[in-house]
Each structure stands twice: as structure tokens, then as C-alpha cells.
Amino acid sequence: MVEENKKKNAKKRPARRSWLRRFGSVVKWMFILGVLGILFAGGAMAGYITSIVKSDPVRSEQFIQQQVSQNAITGFAYFRDGSPIGQLRTEEDRRLVEYNNIPQIVIDAVLAIEDNNFYQHKGIDLNGTLRAIKQKLLNESVQTGGSTLTQQLARRVFLNLDKTEDRKVKEILLSLRLERFLSKQEIITAYLNKVPFGNGSNGYNVYGIKAAAKGIFGQDNLDKLNIAQAAYLAGLPQLPSAYSAFSGTGEFNETAFNRAMDRQRLVLRRMLEENKITQSQYDEALTFDIKGSLAPYTKKAYATYPYLMLETERKASEILLSLNQNKTDNTGTGTGTSTTTSTSTSKTPTDNKQLLEAARQQLMTGGYRVYTTIDKKVYSAMHSISEDSSNFTKDSKTKGVEQTAGMMIDNKTGAILGMIEGRDFNIEQMNYATQMVRQPGSTMKPIAAYLPALDAGLIQPAGILDDAPIILKDGGKGFHIPKNSNNRYQGLVTARYALNKSLNLPALKLFNEKVGIDNAWAFAKKLGITTIQEQDYSAKTGVLGGLRYGVSVEELTNAYSAIGNKGAFNDAYMIDKIVDSEGKIVYQHKVNPEQVFSEQTAYLMTDMLRTVITDGTASTVKSKYKHFKDIPIVGKTGSTQNYADVWFMGYTPDVTLGMWVGYKEQINTLQGDTQRRQAQSLWAKVMNAVIDKQPDLFVTDKFTQPEGIVKKTVSAYSGKLPTSLTDRFNTDLFNAKYVPTTSDDGISKARYITYNGVNYIPHDGTPDDFLREKIVVKREKPIQELVKELLAAFTKMKDHESLSYYMPADAKSDVPTEVDPRVDDGNPPTPPGNVNVSYSTGKAVISFTPSGSPDVVGYRLYRSLNGGSFQKQAVLSVGEGTVFQSSTPAGANATFYVTAVDVGGHETASGTIAGGPIATPEPTDLPEPTDSGSEPTPGSDNPEVGSPDDPGVILQQPGSTDSPPAGGANPGNNSGGNSAGGTGANTGSVTTH
């Protein structure tokens, strides 16, 4: 039994060893479970991370390098002298800097506050992260943040700035990848080029250390930053909006500045702790006057030059779009320098808005430098006039602001030197000089009528044009008869006089009959007028400005500049060159003139426009321009029928200046003489201001006369060589190619009778005292034919003037081609009645009522003195009135009576005798005129048209010692007439000036 118990006890001893084994087993399983837990946690974490980044692309080294090096860079615009206009439109200022140009003190300051272990970690700083967590949990006053510079860069380049856990995971992984592919120098350089630093003194958001130094301290060179400034800048990226000393408008923010200074002192302390600066440097930096070193307030370029910056942006964007399209089409210059002229870049299709917007964004963010042709002094001088409200009419409650636009172009190159885009950018942002299209009025006459006619030899300055009515078809009214603004038709005049007085009918006849509409518009297009529409080819009054849309100030000024450039057209341009962010010229304008018309034509046109100022409609320019002795000018006025638009286009040998005045809405018109001459007035003021501020532009003191220009005396009736019958002459300039070779066939001597203002061949029985015998003029369309056309048109017109209104002033000098339409009825005419005598200024005035007979040719006045026999005193032809003027004094005891005479010579005395006793009539013929064609019609107050007082012709006797100026008519004979104008529209009456 005992033995058995011993055996049992002996078997129980291994139980102690089993417990150890069990403990070991527990430990083993705990380890296994721990490993499994770790693996599970790791798997879960991996799964969690995978779920976060599964939609995030795997970025290749090339892609990372590309994205990190890609920066939105601020672009700038410059005046022609290289001085800055300002930065291109954006709320950001971004400027790149290379690592070698970043001072070590800046790097030390940034790393001290943002990532002091930057050179030791591989993208993640655990110590820094734990420190940031501790500071956050304990709510310590000094909090440094846990993200490394690499993480911040990864977040800014590849992720959004929202603070989420997902973003943090992506940020850590991306930072590890960035450290793998980028060097530390590349990372810190990219960081300092991309992070925001708040607002600069001009209100722009500054990005990158270089833009920050410039915007906050006014320093272009980072090496000029001291320790205090470097520490101030280094502290800003943590909270740029809270630390920004400047607002979005550039105003100083004291509160934010004080916060930034607290941050600066922390940066300095961290720099001292990291041994980046010495104690003495630290103490010196603390005492430095940061506030005093801040950059002074400056306006944004879009506040100083808003119009100009927008126009620069628009034109430069069009150029970039053109360059991009050339690359796409493989027809351009690739990545090399483009020399495309502005002709090819300014015709952006309207349906390309998205591409144009992309090009604009490229311009805004690509760091381009755009060099314009704008002269700063010229631009300033022009705006000194447009911004002075005293130069304009007071604002109207109904019409708004009296607007103006102007442009000055260099004749030789086409470079736009300056412009007035409008009165006030805050009122209207549209550029009136380049984007507005308005009716040009009579400024179109030289472009589409006189220039092509001169160049083709169809007319010369002394050539004769007929200022007589032209009847045009009009669907709405049947017919349309254009008028001149002075409500007169002056008959045969020289081309120079017609342009001087801006007569409409001569221009219409050149445009429609001599040049032809198709040729006229083809010519205008060669001079850069791009707004001509298909409908304009059927608008017979288009030369007067009656276009479908009109023209822009830029294009019309550009067209006139070709005249000043001796017939060579350069398409106007404002962008001289564009340089990319690497300093490479991607666009360079190339001047490419096209000889549209001859130098001789340009000179003749210039000389005709000279007398527009000296003797014509541009009297306001003549009175207000101050530099006639030094700088010659020429030009042309223009206005629309109701004065919704007024223009003046003028040029010197060097520059062309075009001015427009009107209201935004064309329905609003300019009233009164001052407003209607406003374009002339502003033109003179602008030109005076520009000459005073930039005299170096005006180096040429005269318009040089080319070879092939001669002076010639010709007949004033026909513009041809004089004959023995010619008694009136003009001396003027000619293109030697087109000097007339044929003799004067436009005149003859004839006996005629005048009826209703028209000359006719008299009947055989018509008395001689009603006939005239003098030199008469042959015109292309005889007055008799014109009368028939007018009478026929009247039947289809709702509104028209009387027939006499349309008669040219020289109608009485027209050669008769038809017999007097009045027919002798064989009976004496009915007598005139109600003869009455009155006295005016001591002289007798005899009035009567006319005869009712249709064949009457006129009336005779008889007088008896002191009861003696009656003698014929005067005659009046029908249509010359019913009042005789007599030199008989009031005390002469005179008696008068009047007779009516018909085409057959039959005479009937009046039934009334006024005055003393009746005596036996003994008719006595009046003496015949001895001065052919110059004697006034008896009883008429008006001289015969064609007399030396007649404004319709310009006279110059051959061999006269008082010669006219070169290329002009004798100013002494260039008198009379009101300011003339034009008529034009597709339909209806449009009178221009």
C-alpha cells in the first residue's frame, strides 16, 4: 500500500513542469496573437491607406518633376521705352527665383520656423510631428506645426488645402515620393516659389519669396534683405491672411502687422536657437524698423492704366492664340521667334472664344513680358485732355457723358503711339478707340472717293466736279435726292473746293459714277477698313458714311496714316514683341508696308487736305492749333446727318491723329456749334499737348513733294487747257501723268433765254432784251435733262423740295440745248396789275402782280419824268420776281407802268399807272451789256453766277503776280458758302459734313 502511494506521489512531480510548459505556451500564443494583431492592424492600416489612395494616381518621376517646376508666373506690360506699365491682370503676383539666387539667410529663416530637420528627414519628421501634437494638446502659445517643407510642397502642388485625415495620409506618402525624386535644393526652391506671403503694398496677393520681397519691402534683389526682413517674410506663410500688413487694396493694416511682428520675433528666436544667427545679430534684428522699410503704397496697373492694360491683354492674347494655332497647323515658326504682323493676329474668329480665353489664361500665368508701342508721354498727354472735364459739355441726365476716342499712329511704321479709349473707365469699360464702330460721315470721302479717283487719274485738284443733284433709287420713298448740309447746290466746282467745303454731291458722283462702288470699297479694304459689309456694295451713299455698321477709330486713323506715309499702308499695331518667362522672344512684329497708291497721289491728297484747314470746314482746328510755323498739319472733318458722330482725321508728316466725339447711344445727338465742332477742338488740344510733351516725335518740318508733281493753269470751266474763249482760270498742282492735253471744250458763246432757272434756245420772235449772250458752260448732264429727271422723280416721292431748291447756283450759265418750252398763243398776254410805287432809302420800288398768260417771258418797266414821255427802264424775266428797283429819287415827280411780254414779242401794258400824269409811251431799248456774262440781271439783287463773287468757282488769272500757294487756289477768290457736308445712308437722307 505504501509502495503504491509512493508510486502515485512519484507520478505527480511532472505536474510542476507542465505548468511551466503552459506558461510558455501562453507566452508563445500571446506572441503569436500579438504578431497576428500587428499583422491584422498593419493589414487594416494598409487597407485603410489603400482605400484612401486607391483613386489617387501613381505619379511618375517625370510628372512630379514637371508639376513641381510648373509655376503660374506674373506677366508684365511695358511702354515703348521699356518702362513698366504694370503687371497683367491678375490678383496674384508671382515671380520665380532660382536656388542660387536665394540668400542663405532666407533659407535659414524659413527652415528655422518651418522645418529645422529639413536636411535630415526623408519627407516626414517624426520628432517635429510629435512636438506639434504636444503643442496642440497642451495648447502652448508657440506652435510650430508638424508638416515638413516637403509635405507642404506636396500639399500645395498635388492636393487641395482642406484639412482632412485623408489628405494628411496622401500628403505623407507624396512627400516620401517627392524626397525620392527631388533634391533638397529643388524642394526648398519650389517651396519658396509657390507659397503665399499675403498682400503686397499694391494689393496683389504675392506668391513666392521674390514677389514677397518686391511687394512687401520693394526689393527686387533678395540679397538686399537683412536678417530682420528675412525673418519677417519667413513667418508669413503659416497664416498669410492673418499676418498680411496690407489689404487687398494696398492699405496698411496695423493689427495684422503687429501679429506678423510677433511671428517675426519667434522666427528670430528659433534662428538663434538653431545657431543660424549670433546673439548680436539677433539683438540688431529686433531693433530694426520693419515698418519703416515696408514698400510704399502703389496703385495696381489696372487702376492707373485700366484701358491700356485691358487692350494690351486683348491684343497679346490674340497673338498667342495665333501662335498656338500656327504650331498646331505646323505652318508657323514652331517654338522659334514669330515675326507675324498684326494683320494675321487681329482677325480672331468670333466662334473661337474658348481658345481665345485659353490664350488669355496662358498670358496671365505664363510670365510673359509684353512690350507695347505706346509712348508714355504721348499717352499721358492725350489723357490729360480727355480727363479734363472742362474740355467737354456738361453731362446730360438723358444722354449721359459726352464721350470721345482718339488714336495716334506713327505714319512710317503703323505703331500706335497713344490713344484715348474713353472718358472714364469707371463709367464705360469698352475701348471706344478700338472696339466701337460708328458712322464716319465725310471722313470717308478721301478714302473711298478722292484717293482712288486721284490715283486713277479720274480727277485732279483743279478738275471740275458738278455739285448738282443726283437722283438715287430708294425703296421706301421711291427716290432719294441727297443734299448738302448748307442746303445749296453750287454747280461746277473744283475737286479741291468740293473737298474744302465737304460737298456731298461731287463725292457721290466720284464714288458711284467715276470710281465705282466695287473699286471704291476694294481700295478702302487695302487701307485696312475691315467693317465693310455685303449690303454696303448696294449703298450708293456709302461714301458719305452711310455704312451698315461703320468704322472704328483705329481703322480710320490707320487708313489716313497711309496718306501721310506717301501711299504705303502699314497695318496699325500695338504689340511690338512678347518675351516668355525664360527671356525668349516668341513674337516680334515686323513692319511690312504695302504701296496702295502712288506718292504723287498721296501728295496731291495731302495738299487738298491742307486747304480743308486753311480755307475749308476745319476752321476750329485752324484757330486752335498752335504750331503751324513748325509742324504742318492737314486733315478732314466728318459728321453724320444728325450729329450723332463727329470726327476729325488729321496728320503731320510723322504721325496721324484721329478723333471721334459722340454719346454712347447713337440716338443721342450733339447739339449746338460747340459740340458739333468738338472733334476739331479736341484734336487741336491733343496735338498741342503731345507736341509740348514729346516734341521728338515731330522731326519732319514739311510734306516733301515727290517728283512728278507740276503746277499748271487750266480752265476754271472744265479743268482742261485754256482756249482763246476761256476767261476764267485755276492754277493748281497736277500729277504729271495726268496733266490735261486737250483744250477747253466746256464753254461756248450763246444767246439764250432763262426760264425757271434753266437756259433755253429762244424762239425767233422772243425780244432781244430778254435774251443773254455770253459764255455758257457745257456740263456732263445739262440742266434741262436734270429738270426732266427731277420732275419725273417728284411723282414718286412723298416728300421733296420745290424744283428751284434743286437748281445749282450756276444753272443760269448752263449751255442751252432745248428750245424754250413756252409756246406763243398768238395773242397778247394778259396785263400785269396792281402796279404800286413806294420808296425805300429814297429810291423808287415798283411792285406788281404777274400776268396770267403761260407764254409770258417777262416784264418791262417804263418811267415818265415830270409828265414827259415814258421810256423803258428795266426788264424782269419770268421767275426773277415782281419787283423793280429804280434809282429814281422820291422828289423826281415820276410816273411808272409795267408791261407783260410773251415769247412772240407781243406786249400788253398794265392797266395801272403809278405816279404823276399819263404821257404817251415811247419805248426805248436798254443798251446791250458790254461785259459778257458779268452784268447782273436788271432788277435782280443777285449777281450772275460765275461772276468774281460767285463761290462756286475758284479763279486765278494766268500770269498773275499774286500766285496762290503751291497746290492751292488763290485764297482771295475762295470765298462764300457755308460749311458743306454730305448725304448718305442705305435709304433715306443722311447729311454729313
Side-chain angles (χ1 to χ4, degrees), residues 768-970:
D768 288 347
D769 55 344
F770 292 97
L771 303 184
R772 295 290 179 265
E773 183 175 359
K774 65 175 187 178
I775 294 176
V776 289
V777 182
K778 298 178 182 178
R779 58 209 316 153
E780 291 184 12
K781 177 175 288 187
I783 295 298
Q784 293 93 328
E785 184 178 339
L786 174 63
V787 168
K788 290 180 180 179
E789 292 182 358
L790 287 169
L791 292 174
F794 289 169
T795 63
K796 298 181 180 180
M797 295 177 64
K798 295 179 181 178
D799 299 303
H800 61 81
E801 308 291 344
S802 64
L803 180 64
S804 61
Y805 174 91
Y806 297 105
M807 288 297 99
D810 64 351
K812 293 180 181 179
S813 65
D814 197 49
V815 62
T817 59
E818 297 183 5
V819 176
D820 186 346
R822 291 167 291 189
V823 178
D824 181 14
D825 60 8
N827 299 314
T830 58
N834 300 322
V835 177
N836 180 61
V837 178
S838 61
Y839 289 87
S840 175
T841 64
K843 304 295 183 181
V845 178
I846 301 92
S847 62
F848 60 94
T849 57
S851 167
S853 299
D855 59 349
V856 171
V857 295
Y859 304 91
R860 292 176 179 145
L861 174 67
Y862 292 90
R863 183 189 68 179
S864 168
L865 292 176
N866 299 317
S869 62
F870 281 94
Q871 295 185 353
K872 185 171 67 173
Q873 294 295 300
V875 298
L876 277 176
S877 294
V878 170
E880 292 178 344
T882 57
V883 177
F884 284 101
Q885 304 284 344
S886 173
S887 61
T888 304
N893 191 22
T895 305
F896 302 91
Y897 74 86
V898 180
T899 67
V901 183
D902 66 15
V903 294
H906 306 107
E907 182 176 16
T908 301
S910 64
T912 306
I913 297 178
I918 302 173
T920 304
E922 293 182 8
T924 304
D925 290 337
L926 293 175
E928 291 295 327
T930 56
D931 183 7
S932 175
S934 63
E935 182 185 13
T937 302
S940 173
D941 290 330
N942 298 320
E944 286 283 337
V945 175
S947 71
D949 293 328
D950 171 34
V953 290
I954 305 173
L955 309 181
Q956 175 62 36
Q957 299 294 333
S960 170
T961 57
D962 185 17
S963 299
N970 188 341

Side-chain angles (χ1 to χ4, degrees), residues 26-42:
V26 169
V27 171
K28 179 180 73 173
W29 282 108
M30 288 180 66
F31 174 78
I32 293 172
L33 290 174
V35 171
L36 290 175
I38 292 173
L39 291 175
F40 177 80

Side-chain angles (χ1 to χ4, degrees), residues 229-261:
Q229 292 170 324
Y232 181 90
L233 294 178
L236 300 179
Q238 185 194 48
L239 289 172
S241 59
Y243 296 145
S244 179
F246 300 101
S247 69
T249 58
E251 297 177 353
F252 182 71
N253 186 329
E254 186 79 35
T255 302
F257 173 73
N258 291 334
R259 285 196 293 262
M261 287 302 299

Side-chain angles (χ1 to χ4, degrees), residues 186-256:
E186 289 174 326
I187 291 172
I188 196 169
T189 302
Y191 174 85
L192 287 175
N193 276 326
K194 292 180 181 297
V195 293
F197 287 82
N199 298 319
S201 63
N202 51 15
Y204 288 113
N205 294 320
V206 290
Y207 283 77
I209 190 66
K210 187 173 179 65
K214 175 64 177 176
I216 297 173
F217 293 116
Q219 292 289 359
D220 287 305
N221 188 347
L222 294 179
D223 289 328
K224 293 183 179 181
L225 294 173
N226 58 33
I227 294 173
Q229 292 170 324
Y232 181 90
L233 294 178
L236 300 179
Q238 185 194 48
L239 289 172
S241 59
Y243 296 145
S244 179
F246 300 101
S247 69
T249 58
E251 297 177 353
F252 182 71
N253 186 329
E254 186 79 35
T255 302

Side-chain angles (χ1 to χ4, degrees), residues 527-570:
L527 293 178
I529 305 297
T530 64
T531 52
I532 297 169
Q533 304 296 306
E534 188 66 31
Q535 302 96 309
D536 295 328
Y537 285 85
S538 58
K540 295 183 180 295
T541 56
V543 70
L544 307 181
L547 301 173
R548 176 70 176 84
Y549 295 118
V551 297
S552 69
V553 176
E554 177 182 1
E555 289 192 352
L556 192 56
T557 307
N558 198 188
Y560 271 81
S561 71
I563 315 175
N565 196 34
K566 303 178 181 180
F569 173 75
N570 285 303

Side-chain angles (χ1 to χ4, degrees), residues 312-341:
T312 300
E313 173 189 318
R314 186 172 69 87
K315 289 187 180 294
S317 297
E318 290 174 354
I319 289 173
L320 289 183
L321 173 59
S322 178
L323 294 176
N324 293 340
Q325 290 176 333
N326 285 343
K327 292 177 183 178
T328 302
D329 297 338
N330 198 28
T331 58
T333 54
T335 57
T337 302
S338 170
T339 56
T340 306
T341 66

Side-chain angles (χ1 to χ4, degrees), residues 488-599:
R488 300 171 55 202
Y489 297 93
Q490 294 184 238
L492 297 176
V493 295
T494 63
R496 181 185 292 276
Y497 181 86
L499 187 63
N500 284 353
K501 301 302 181 183
S502 198
L503 301 180
N504 290 337
L505 281 303
L508 282 172
K509 291 175 180 179
L510 286 175
F511 178 69
N512 286 279
E513 299 169 4
K514 293 184 179 295
V515 177
I517 296 178
D518 288 355
N519 292 333
W521 290 144
F523 194 92
K525 287 181 177 180
K526 289 182 181 179
L527 293 178
I529 305 297
T530 64
T531 52
I532 297 169
Q533 304 296 306
E534 188 66 31
Q535 302 96 309
D536 295 328
Y537 285 85
S538 58
K540 295 183 180 295
T541 56
V543 70
L544 307 181
L547 301 173
R548 176 70 176 84
Y549 295 118
V551 297
S552 69
V553 176
E554 177 182 1
E555 289 192 352
L556 192 56
T557 307
N558 198 188
Y560 271 81
S561 71
I563 315 175
N565 196 34
K566 303 178 181 180
F569 173 75
N570 285 303
D571 199 7
Y573 70 102
M574 198 187 92
I575 307 301
D576 182 53
K577 68 178 178 179
I578 300 177
V579 180
D580 67 13
S581 61
E582 297 177 355
K584 179 181 176 182
I585 298 176
V586 296
Y587 169 83
Q588 176 74 61
H589 179 84
K590 180 180 179 182
V591 177
N592 186 26
E594 177 187 356
Q595 196 72 36
V596 177
F597 49 93
S598 70
E599 291 188 30

